[in-house]
């Protein structure tokens, strides 16, 4: 007897429909799985056999062949347990085949028939909707994230017999529904706030400018000056996450199994990988490619602490995502494109010992040592960082102050207003922020007054700023003008932008 069950395979951050075909025929008892099945899929036969028997059903002692079509796409993971088990029972006449064609099934089976969580519930539900199926049957844990996809029936199941009885029309399954707007508001609250940081007003201002124009930032300061604390609070002042952006972020985290019980990602992601990370861990990869940290930071912040400690080859692979907003991972099995539009925030000490700019502690590093330390970060990478700001150590008076700083909500309001001006300016272009401007856009939108031109000339010729800093200063000046609501870039805006190029100055 032959039975067919709909399931799905994860490919990148999307899911593709997979047809699970089960043939039960006379012959020596065996179970063979074909269709580019990876390790966890091949091992499923033992889980399926135990689950079916422990749920009170008879497992056929015949030749069973399971085909996962299309056969040219690799299948990995344990999500095929449930459709395989149901397909075997359907081939034996224990499940009505008529209803199988309307639903997509996915879930891992434990030995007692419990349906355990899987990765990728959201993209699997999106695939079912795209294929115009009536509904999807998932583990109860995955049903809230899948229910974010509207206009499809999301049914939650806890055990294999529940699915069998539902398909036979004997019982019903819980139809999971979510209030998307309510969930979005519930999970959009931040646990930290900008006013937690004492002092460092000029650094807060620099981060506000960075958030307003989506500029990449590097923070340079001695240990304990608050670089990490400031970076962690940057997402609280970034523009509000739209529903479309939230679904993109949720899909990536769902594929990686990192939702942690949340049905939706409603705040901008903040990722902070350790400096020992590999290039594949940062940008994605593996035998079967998976998203890396740059994709998990999509629409949010990627924070690289102790930047010079990262391996040079790891830092160099950041060039493509910083430039294009996506990353292409090529392997023998094919190429997969992952979204990777993020703000890069890096932090580093000013010198090997960390106290070159600290007035309280003496630095013992020589100029060549400092130069070697800073040269670990390549020029092409620094070229993609618009704002470079020094973070000095705090004095006791600043630490002991009880005056609360400006809350994130007020700063985010100004950032939203500045971004709205940029969206209006670039509405006919395929860019969304000042940081994405090219040479032609800079020439068109970043004209400056004669007084500001003089400041730029002084910065390039007298302060030792590099030529590549010229366009960066103009971009940042445009953002500062947007924050002030000014159509023209004034000398004061250029003056402030010049202050954000500390690493370009000669030692």
């Amino acid at each position: 007897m032959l039975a067919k069950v709909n399931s799905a395979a994860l490919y990148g951050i999307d899911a593709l429909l997979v047809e699970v075909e089960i043939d039960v025929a006379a012959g020596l008892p065996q179970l063979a799985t074909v269709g580019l099945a990876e390790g966890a899929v091949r091992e499923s036969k033992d889980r399926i056999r135990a689950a079916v028997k422990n749920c009170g059903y008879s497992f056929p002692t015949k030749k069973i062949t399971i085909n996962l079509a299309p056969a040219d796409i690799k299948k990995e993971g344990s999500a095929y347990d449930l459709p395989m088990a149901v397909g075997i029972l359907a081939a034996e006449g224990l499940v009505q085949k008529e209803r199988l064609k309307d639903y997509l099934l996915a879930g891992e089976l434990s030995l007692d028939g419990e349906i355990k969580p899987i990765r990728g519930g959201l993209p699997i539900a999106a695939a079912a909707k795209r294929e115009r199926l009536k509904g999807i049957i998932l583990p109860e844990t995955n049903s809230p994230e899948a229910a974010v996809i509207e206009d499809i029936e999301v049914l939650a199941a806890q055990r294999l017999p529940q699915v069998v009885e539902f398909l036979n029309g004997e019982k019903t399954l819980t139809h999971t529904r979510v209030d998307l707007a309510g969930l979005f508001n519930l999970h959009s609250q931040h646990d930290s706030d900008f006013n937690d940081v004492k002092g460092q007003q000029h650094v807060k201002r620099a981060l506000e400018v960075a958030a307003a124009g989506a500029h990449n930032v590097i923070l340079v300061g001695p240990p304990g000056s608050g670089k990490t604390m400031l970076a962690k609070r940057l997402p609280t002042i970034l523009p509000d996450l739209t529903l479309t952006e939230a679904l993109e972020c949720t899909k990536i985290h769902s594929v990686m199994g990192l939702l942690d019980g949340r049905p939706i990602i409603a705040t901008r992601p903040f990722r902070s990988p350790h400096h020992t990370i590999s290039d594949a861990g940062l940008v994605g990869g593996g035998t079967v490619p998976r998203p890396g940290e740059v994709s998990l930071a999509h629409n949010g912040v990627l924070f690289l602490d102790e930047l010079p400690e990262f391996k040079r080859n790891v830092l160099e692979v950041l060039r493509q995502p910083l430039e294009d907003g996506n990353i292409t991972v090529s392997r023998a099995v094919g190429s997969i494109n992952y979204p990777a539009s993020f703000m890069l925030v890096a932090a580093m000490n000013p010198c090997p010992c960390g106290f070159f700019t600290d007035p309280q502690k003496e630095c013992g590093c020589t100029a060549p040592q400092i130069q070697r330390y800073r040269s670990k970060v390549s020029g092409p990478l620094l070229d993609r960082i618009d704002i470079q700001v020094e973070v000095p150590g705090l004095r006791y008076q600043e630490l002991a102050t009880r005056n609360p700083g400006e809350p994130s909500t007020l700063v985010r309001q100004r950032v939203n207003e500045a971004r709205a001006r940029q969206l209006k300016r670039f509405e006919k272009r395929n860019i969304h922020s000042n940081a994405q401007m090219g040479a032609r856009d800079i020439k068109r939108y970043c004209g400056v007054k004669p007084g500001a031109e003089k400041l730029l000339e002084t910065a390039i010729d007298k302060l030792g700023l590099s030529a590549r800093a010229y366009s960066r200063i103009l971009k940042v000046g445009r953002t500062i003008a947007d924050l002030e609501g000014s159509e023209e870039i004034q000398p004061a805006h250029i003056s402030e932008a010049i202050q954000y190029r500390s690493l370009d100055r000669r030692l």
Side-chain angles (χ1 to χ4, degrees):
M1 295 291 290
L2 181 69
K4 296 182 180 181
V5 184
N6 295 315
S7 191
L10 295 177
Y11 189 77
I13 63 168
D14 294 310
L16 304 175
L17 188 70
V18 170
E19 191 172 56
V20 181
E21 300 176 316
I22 296 94
D23 177 68
V24 179
L28 292 175
Q30 66 169 339
L31 195 157
T33 304
V34 297
L36 279 184
E38 293 295 299
V41 184
R42 292 196 300 269
E43 291 174 355
S44 64
K45 59 184 180 181
D46 296 318
R47 292 193 299 271
I48 293 169
R49 182 180 287 106
V52 168
K53 288 182 177 180
N54 289 329
C55 287
Y57 302 108
S58 176
F59 194 87
T61 53
K62 301 176 183 178
K63 182 181 178 181
I64 303 173
T65 304
I66 300 177
N67 178 44
L68 306 176
D72 59 342
I73 297 175
K74 283 195 173 185
K75 323 299 188 307
E76 63 163 352
S78 55
Y80 301 102
D81 290 4
L82 180 61
M84 286 180 180
V86 170
I88 291 172
L89 294 176
E92 285 289 279
L94 299 177
V95 174
Q96 295 180 15
K97 299 179 183 179
E98 292 76 15
R99 299 188 69 181
L100 281 175
K101 65 179 182 296
D102 296 329
Y103 293 92
L104 187 153
L105 279 64
E108 176 185 339
L109 288 176
S110 64
L111 300 186
D112 63 354
E114 181 186 354
I115 304 176
K116 304 177 74 173
I118 58 171
R119 294 184 293 109
L122 177 60
I124 289 174
K129 180 181 177 180
R130 188 173 61 246
E131 297 295 333
R132 298 183 179 181
L133 297 178
K134 182 178 180 181
I136 176 173
I137 301 175
L138 284 174
E140 190 174 40
T141 307
N142 294 108
S143 59
E145 64 175 279
V148 169
I149 302 298
E150 299 176 335
D151 303 323
I152 188 165
E153 205 174 287
V154 178
L155 303 174
Q158 295 177 321
R159 293 181 57 78
L160 175 61
Q162 291 179 315
V163 179
V164 173
E165 291 167 354
F166 167 76
L167 293 172
N168 287 333
E170 299 169 0
K171 291 186 178 179
T172 59
L173 288 175
T174 303
H175 187 179
T176 305
R177 296 180 177 87
V178 297
D179 176 10
L180 190 54
L183 279 176
F184 196 76
N185 292 330
L186 177 65
H187 292 276
S188 61
Q189 305 302 315
H190 292 277
D191 297 328
S192 57
D193 197 278
F194 230 41
N195 62 11
D196 298 334
V197 183
K198 296 182 179 181
Q200 308 291 19
Q201 296 304 320
H202 75 289
V203 186
K204 292 180 181 179
R205 168 66 179 178
L207 291 180
E208 179 181 342
V209 173
H215 301 288
N216 300 319
V217 190
I218 185 167
L219 305 175
V220 184
S225 57
K227 301 185 295 293
T228 302
M229 188 176 187
L230 284 158
K232 286 183 176 180
R233 281 152 182 77
L234 179 58
T236 68
I237 64 169
L238 288 176
D240 298 317
L241 198 65
T242 66
L243 183 58
T244 301
E245 290 174 330
L247 290 175
E248 289 176 351
C249 296
T250 306
K251 186 182 290 186
I252 298 169
H253 284 71
S254 175
V255 166
M256 294 296 289
L258 297 175
L259 284 179
D260 298 326
R262 296 169 294 177
I264 190 169
I265 302 291
T267 57
R268 294 194 178 272
F270 179 87
R271 302 294 300 181
S272 179
H274 193 259
H275 64 258
T276 56
I277 193 171
S278 66
D279 51 356
L282 189 62
V283 299
T287 306
V288 178
R290 290 189 180 181
E293 290 291 336
V294 296
S295 296
L296 290 169
H298 181 59
N299 292 324
V301 174
L302 177 68
F303 178 52
L304 302 183
D305 200 5
E306 303 293 345
L307 186 65
E309 302 302 325
F310 283 80
K311 294 177 183 176
R312 194 177 185 91
N313 68 303
V314 173
L315 293 179
E316 292 308 305
V317 295
L318 284 174
R319 293 194 198 178
Q320 183 196 347
L322 284 174
E323 197 72 29
D324 303 333
N326 58 68
I327 183 72
T328 302
V329 179
S330 298
R331 293 292 185 271
V333 295
S335 296
I336 299 178
N337 192 276
Y338 294 116
S341 178
F342 58 89
M343 272 185 65
L344 174 65
V345 180
M348 62 180 286
N349 295 331
C351 66
C353 75
F355 301 111
F356 178 59
T357 58
D358 194 335
Q360 305 296 318
K361 298 182 180 180
E362 184 177 354
C363 172
C365 303
T366 64
Q369 286 176 324
I370 298 173
Q371 190 61 48
R372 270 196 307 272
Y373 177 75
R374 293 188 176 186
S375 66
K376 291 181 180 180
V377 183
S378 69
L381 180 61
L382 280 178
D383 190 32
R384 290 162 173 80
I385 299 179
D386 296 344
I387 295 179
Q388 307 163 356
V389 60
E390 293 184 1
V391 185
L394 291 176
R395 296 181 179 274
Y396 173 77
Q397 289 82 358
E398 293 174 302
L399 292 171
T401 183
R402 295 187 178 182
N403 296 326
E406 195 173 24
S408 294
T409 51
L410 293 181
V411 181
R412 187 166 64 248
Q413 184 177 346
R414 293 196 296 269
V415 169
N416 280 329
E417 291 170 358
R419 284 289 185 100
R421 295 186 183 98
Q422 294 166 48
L423 289 173
K424 184 178 180 180
R425 179 185 301 129
F426 304 129
E427 60 184 353
K428 295 182 180 180
R429 303 274 288 113
N430 190 30
I431 56 178
H432 311 290
S433 63
N434 289 334
Q436 297 175 310
M437 286 192 292
R440 188 172 298 178
D441 300 306
I442 293 174
K443 185 176 180 180
R444 180 175 181 182
Y445 299 114
C446 298
V448 295
K449 295 293 184 182
E453 278 284 2
K454 188 64 178 176
L455 277 173
L456 278 170
E457 181 182 351
T458 302
I460 299 297
D461 297 337
K462 306 297 182 183
L463 297 181
L465 297 184
S466 63
R468 67 172 180 249
Y470 178 77
S471 62
R472 305 293 169 183
I473 291 173
L474 289 177
K475 287 183 181 182
V476 175
R478 177 69 269 170
T479 300
I480 296 170
D482 289 340
L483 279 169
E484 301 296 328
S486 173
E487 290 297 324
E488 297 180 338
I489 302 176
Q490 304 294 335
H493 304 148
I494 292 296
S495 178
E496 183 179 349
I498 290 171
Q499 301 304 311
Y500 299 143
R501 300 300 303 179
S502 62
L503 288 181
D504 282 334
R505 299 168 193 164
R506 300 188 184 100
L507 291 173

